[in-house]
Amino acid sequence: MPDIKDYKGQTPAWCPGCGNFGILRSLKRALVELGLEPHQVLVVSGIGQSGKTPHYMQCNTFNGLHGRTLPVATAARLANHEMVVIAEAGDGDCYGEGGNHFLHAMRRNPNITLLVHDNQIYGLTKGQASPTTAEGTVTKTQPFGVPSEQLNPVALAVAMDAGLVARSFVGDMEHLTEMMKAAIAHKGFALLDIFQPCVTFNKVNTYDWYRKRVKPVGEDYDPEDRLNAFETALIWGEEIPVGVLYRNPGRPAMEERFPVLAGTPLVKQPFDLETGRRAIDSLAL
């Protein structure tokens, strides 16, 4: 059986009190409780404080370009559909730079888990507004307040009929770990948007701010009722629902729709250079 120590990587360089610490601990705990060994897992990221997560884990890792965690994660999953693939991103990295990839990953439904460290600010680049920063918020680069409307990523994901849409808060690590396990176990694309306070650059959305508002959905909540899920995802203000907000178990994963991937993973299939050369030559005619 795997142990938390098996996933121990480099020492994190985040600010003391940063919500990223709780996400890192919860992720390791979720993987262990699911019985996954480090060699069975790939963690991919883009750029940002969230993007450092693969540095702090011992498993297969890849740290790529800003906003590009989902294309890399999708390609890796298609190449080896036996690998558990987890994409890490921040709200700016995923919903800003990577917004187009976010939309099309939900359309394609690859079997990957997307964990978004949503602190509603750009932390690595010192505090400018991200897509999830509330309209009117004063930041270092928006001294007169953010002029754009706040993005609601979970409502967008329900509207896109994503495979699984969940939300959690790093101040409740038991809940966060359970949401991670549900997202990883889901067959298809799973989004987990995680409220993660930035103690340095966001003085509005603090731990106390979230603790007064987040409320888990009840046991009688039906995540497969899409209309109700959309209405629930729109609730924001003095109460913010968290939990598995939506689930569509009926959609086939992207890799299931490619006959060449139905049996042996691509990385284990024989490579015939001559066949590839003939295919290229036929295109040139």
Side-chain angles (χ1 to χ4, degrees):
M1 284 292 292
D3 186 89
I4 290 282
K5 294 178 182 177
D6 297 334
Y7 283 96
K8 180 178 174 55
Q10 300 176 39
T11 302
W14 292 315
C15 301
C18 175
N20 284 327
F21 286 102
I23 295 176
L24 180 64
R25 284 195 293 273
S26 294
L27 177 57
K28 292 177 180 177
R29 186 173 155 190
L31 294 170
V32 168
E33 291 182 9
L34 288 171
L36 293 167
E37 300 282 354
H39 73 271
Q40 297 176 294
V41 178
L42 169 67
V43 179
V44 180
S45 72
I47 298 296
Q49 295 293 358
S50 63
K52 297 177 181 176
T53 302
H55 305 184
Y56 309 143
M57 297 193 68
Q58 184 164 272
C59 58
N60 300 291
T61 62
F62 186 93
N63 186 193
L65 300 176
H66 209 350
R68 305 295 179 258
T69 185
L70 285 173
V72 174
T74 301
R77 177 67 191 182
L78 291 178
N80 186 358
H81 60 267
E82 291 181 347
M83 183 77 72
V84 173
V85 179
I86 297 169
E88 297 268 352
D91 43 300
D93 183 49
C94 183
Y95 304 141
E97 282 83 357
N100 201 36
H101 298 305
F102 178 53
L103 294 178
H104 294 291
M106 290 188 285
R107 284 180 53 236
R108 294 166 181 146
N109 200 36
N111 194 353
I112 59 179
T113 298
L114 171 62
L115 305 179
V116 180
H117 303 219
D118 190 353
N119 59 12
Q120 300 176 254
I121 204 78
Y122 278 90
L124 184 67
T125 45
K126 315 308 180 197
Q128 67 268 39
S130 83
T132 57
T133 306
E135 185 176 0
T137 302
V138 174
T139 74
K140 285 189 172 184
T141 54
Q142 286 88 14
F144 304 110
V146 176
S148 304
E149 191 167 334
Q150 182 179 17
L151 175 73
N152 184 330
V154 292
L156 175 62
V158 175
M160 291 289 295
D161 199 19
L164 183 139
V165 183
R167 186 161 57 194
S168 191
F169 168 48
V170 76
D172 183 351
M173 288 180 55
E174 292 289 334
H175 185 270
L176 178 56
T177 303
E178 290 306 310
M179 291 300 101
M180 287 184 175
K181 289 164 62 178
I184 294 168
H186 176 76
K187 189 178 70 173
F189 183 85
L191 164 68
L192 175 55
D193 187 74
I194 306 166
F195 293 142
Q196 173 253 311
C198 175
V199 295
T200 302
F201 294 110
N202 187 341
K203 303 302 183 185
V204 176
N205 308 111
T206 63
Y207 285 95
D208 285 343
W209 190 93
Y210 285 117
R211 285 194 178 100
K212 292 175 182 174
R213 290 167 172 80
V214 297
K215 181 180 178 182
V217 294
E219 293 183 0
D220 59 345
Y221 180 81
D222 179 8
E224 296 184 20
D225 181 338
R226 190 179 179 194
L227 182 58
N228 184 55
F230 189 68
E231 291 176 345
T232 304
L234 293 177
I235 298 173
W236 182 270
E238 294 308 308
E239 179 180 321
I240 305 174
V242 295
V244 176
L245 304 182
Y246 178 62
R247 180 171 55 226
N248 180 355
R251 290 185 66 192
M254 182 181 184
E255 52 270 38
E256 292 178 344
R257 287 174 280 179
F258 288 91
V260 71
L261 301 177
T264 308
L266 208 56
V267 294
K268 295 182 179 177
Q269 295 184 25
F271 177 69
D272 183 352
L273 183 61
E274 189 55 37
T275 300
R277 182 175 291 126
R278 286 198 298 271
I280 292 173
D281 289 343
S282 69
L283 294 173
L285 294 176

